[in-house]
Amino acid sequence: MASQPVSDDSSLIKRITQQDDTALAELYDRYARVLYAVAFKSLGSKEEAEEVVLDVFSQVWRIAERYDSRKARVDTWLFMLTRSRVLDRLRAMQRANKMPTVSVEATQIQLPPSSVDPVEEVLISERRTQVLAALETLPVEQRLVLELAYYQGLSQSEIAAQTGLSLGTVKTRVRLGLNKLRIALGAWNG
């Protein structure tokens, strides 16, 4: 993902807890585009994806002291915050009966022009390719439940209802799929 070491990300979070806005700007520059890509793929709306990214970094500013490096890397924490904001927006859109059609098979995401370093753009693109390739290695049934959860924002209960599978089966497939993704992505990074 980003070329900076994990410890550098952690030091940025520590600086953010001390209200260092330049640290927040650095973290934003490092991760905003990839978080935007994740949000856009799920929401299908440039405006909604931009709002999610702004919400995430606003939340980081407010709750940076809650970050625990023993539980997750900074990038993993940011992705979890992004996923949570995306799910909130998808649920709100569902309630408003404005659920967008999201292509689960979409592999190309158009990003807005930015002044991001070309090297970082290549790293982000490589990471996206790695994630998509890792998804392709999963058995179809595990990939399906993960795509429904992450790209369409469905809860495990909603996935069970939509697919006709038992909740236990959905939970097992999600857990197995995530473990396989973690292993596959760890192999590429490690």
Side-chain angles (χ1 to χ4, degrees):
M1 161 121 30
S3 60
Q4 280 67 17
V6 173
S7 62
D8 189 29
D9 287 347
S10 294
S11 68
L12 287 176
I13 296 294
K14 285 182 184 127
R15 288 173 43 206
I16 292 168
T17 64
Q18 299 163 354
Q19 303 297 294
D20 182 344
D21 55 355
T22 59
L24 183 67
E26 272 186 66
L27 194 68
Y28 181 90
D29 290 343
R30 196 173 291 173
Y31 290 104
R33 287 178 56 82
V34 71
L35 297 179
Y36 171 89
V38 168
F40 182 83
K41 184 162 185 176
S42 296
L43 296 168
S45 162
K46 177 183 173 190
E47 293 80 13
E48 291 289 335
E50 289 171 350
E51 285 293 321
V52 163
V53 172
L54 292 175
D55 287 350
V56 166
F57 284 98
S58 174
Q59 185 176 10
V60 167
W61 183 254
R62 290 188 318 273
I63 68 164
E65 70 280 350
R66 294 187 203 163
Y67 169 71
D68 184 350
S69 61
R70 295 169 299 189
K71 292 184 179 178
R73 295 181 347 188
V74 171
D75 59 348
T76 303
W77 183 59
L78 291 171
F79 281 114
M80 290 185 325
L81 293 174
T82 301
R83 180 177 183 271
S84 179
R85 297 290 68 76
V86 165
L87 291 175
D88 289 346
R89 290 202 179 266
L90 285 171
R91 288 183 182 121
M93 292 165 79
Q94 280 179 327
R95 282 191 299 272
N97 211 10
K98 297 179 185 174
M99 185 65 181
T101 304
V102 179
S103 171
V104 176
E105 298 299 318
T107 59
Q108 295 298 320
I109 299 171
Q110 297 297 319
L111 298 174
S114 174
S115 61
V116 173
D117 176 20
V119 172
E120 185 177 347
E121 283 192 42
V122 169
L123 292 171
I124 290 168
S125 177
E126 286 176 1
R127 183 64 168 175
R128 184 181 313 120
T129 301
Q130 289 172 348
V131 169
L132 292 171
L135 273 171
E136 288 300 316
T137 66
L138 295 179
V140 174
E141 57 275 0
Q142 290 172 11
R143 186 171 61 237
L144 171 67
V145 295
L146 290 177
E147 288 175 340
L148 289 171
Y150 285 91
Y151 296 145
Q152 294 188 13
L154 300 181
S155 69
Q156 292 179 344
S157 299
E158 291 168 330
I159 294 169
Q162 183 171 326
T163 61
L165 298 169
S166 73
L167 182 57
T169 300
V170 170
K171 288 181 177 188
T172 299
R173 288 180 180 176
V174 167
R175 187 182 73 251
L176 291 173
L178 287 175
N179 284 337
K180 288 178 183 175
L181 282 178
R182 191 174 295 117
I183 292 166
L185 293 172
W188 278 316
N189 291 326

